Amino acid sequence: MMYRIIADLAMVTHFAFLAYMAVGGFLAWRWRRTIWAHLAVVAWGLFSIVTGVECPLTVVEDWGRRSAGLAGLPAGGFIDHYIEGVIYPEEYTNLARLGVAVLVLFSYVGYVLRRQ
């Protein structure tokens, strides 16, 4: 049971991480210091897309699932299992990434403008 809880916590944390990546810059409009955390999250997201490095949360969830006797995540990991083909069709991956990039850039422009 504990392994299943670990896997589920990793999954929920992963979804929260992705949500924060998409809209966390807007939180910095109100709480300015959060911009540094958001910059780190965006940097990690960009790094993982460019290099293909596996996210530690994916590793933890996969380990928890397998240790609980469940099927592990597919080779594509968290995104392939929960996002692509579920929230949007796989062929629109680049469009979804562009949408997140536009949200992040818009939030950063708003952050800079609100600081003036």
Side-chain angles (χ1 to χ4, degrees), residues 3-86:
Y3 293 117
R4 176 64 189 259
I5 292 170
I6 291 169
D8 288 347
L9 285 173
M11 180 218 16
V12 169
T13 303
H14 218 152
F15 273 113
F17 185 88
L18 291 175
Y20 184 69
M21 184 186 325
V23 298
F26 295 103
L27 294 176
W29 290 14
R30 173 71 174 97
W31 297 286
R32 298 199 183 283
R33 291 183 182 163
T34 63
I35 195 69
W36 299 108
H38 193 257
L39 284 168
V41 166
V42 169
W44 170 256
L46 187 60
F47 176 74
S48 68
I49 288 171
V50 170
T51 65
V53 68
E54 192 170 31
C55 179
L57 289 169
T58 299
V59 174
V60 170
E61 181 185 353
D62 190 54
W63 171 79
R65 290 170 62 96
R66 290 179 191 278
S67 297
L70 302 172
L73 291 173
F78 177 87
I79 299 294
D80 282 356
H81 187 69
Y82 294 109
I83 308 291
E84 288 180 353
V86 177

